Structure formats: C-alpha cells, structure tokens
Amino acid sequence: MSGETDLPDLAAGFALRDRLVRLAQAVLRADELAARRPTFGTAEVYLTEVRYGVGELLQIVDCGGWPSFALVGRDGLDAALVIAQAASVEEQVTLRRALATAVHNGCVPEPHLVHLAALIARARGTPIDDADRFGHEADDGTA
C-alpha cells in the first residue's frame, strides 16, 4: 500500500493557515493604526505590512494556486481575501485569476470571487461581467 492519499497535508495546511492569518492580522492592525493616527509614519507602516502581505500571498498563489478551503479552512480563506483587498488593482487582477480557478474547481466559495471582482470593478469604474466569474479580462481589457 502506498503512503500517498488525495487528502491535504494537514501540517502544511495548518502552517499555511497560520501564515495567512498572521499576515492578514498585521495588515488590519496597521490599517487601524493609520486610521486612528493618520501620520506619514503610520501610513508607511501600513504600506510596509501591505507590501509584505501581498507579496507573500502572491508567492503562495504562484507556488500552489489559491489556498483551498480543505487546506486552510474558513479562517485561512478569509485571511487571504483580507490580504487581497489591500493589494493594488493589478495585483488583485492576478489574484482574481487564481481565485477564479479555485472557485471553478470547487475549492473556494464563489462569494470570495464576487467580492474581489467587485473591488476591482469599483476601482476601475467598470461593471462586473461574466468574464469576472472565470478571472479573465473582459474583451475590451477593462474588467
């Protein structure tokens, strides 16, 4: 009997979930600090946390796709979305593609994709269309 299964590696899942939650908490704490004490220093702290968190999420997604519910649970999925919300629009588009694939494969609930697609559409001033369901750019390149 082989030692391989189709079950997720729980140790890796717990570690990834913990990593995502810690990154999201750092982003949220820095955001709260910047909102309470709006100075250039607190803004720099916020931007530093966001750049680091988004960079880590992009690396995670690049290496293994958007984390699945089975691997990181609801807390990990929500943390990844918090980090993605803080990303630049261009980074959000990249992340949306990975998230759309995970939704399509049944690994992540669709409301996560709807939320990210709405943020992108709002930032760009464009409507959401069916291309957003699949993480593709609209035909005119504006979605």
Side-chain angles (χ1 to χ4, degrees):
M1 176 188 259
S2 170
E4 293 183 30
T5 70
D6 60 351
L7 297 174
D9 179 351
L10 293 179
F14 286 129
L16 182 55
R17 178 207 161 275
D18 184 62
R19 183 176 171 197
L20 289 167
V21 167
R22 286 176 188 265
L23 291 167
Q25 287 172 338
V27 168
L28 291 172
R29 274 192 311 269
D31 182 53
E32 184 179 320
L33 176 64
R36 276 187 302 160
R37 292 189 345 199
T39 67
F40 285 109
T42 58
E44 188 61 34
V45 168
Y46 171 74
L47 291 174
T48 300
E49 292 295 349
V50 166
R51 286 182 192 121
Y52 180 74
V54 170
E56 290 292 301
L57 181 58
L58 287 166
Q59 182 180 22
I60 290 165
V61 166
D62 190 46
C63 291
W66 194 272
S68 69
F69 177 82
L71 185 62
V72 299
R74 173 63 67 183
D75 289 346
L77 288 182
D78 290 347
L81 189 58
V82 164
I83 297 164
Q85 289 174 145
S88 71
V89 175
E90 293 78 18
E91 291 165 330
Q92 287 177 344
V93 168
T94 298
L95 292 168
R96 180 185 64 193
R97 289 184 190 111
L99 181 53
T101 299
V103 168
H104 178 73
N105 292 334
C107 301
V108 176
E110 189 172 29
H112 281 73
L113 178 59
V114 171
H115 184 85
L116 189 57
L119 289 175
I120 294 167
R122 184 181 71 192
R124 289 184 164 177
T126 59
I128 297 174
D129 68 19
D130 286 336
D132 291 311
R133 298 187 90 205
F134 307 106
H136 302 299
E137 294 295 309
D139 292 335
D140 64 1
T142 61

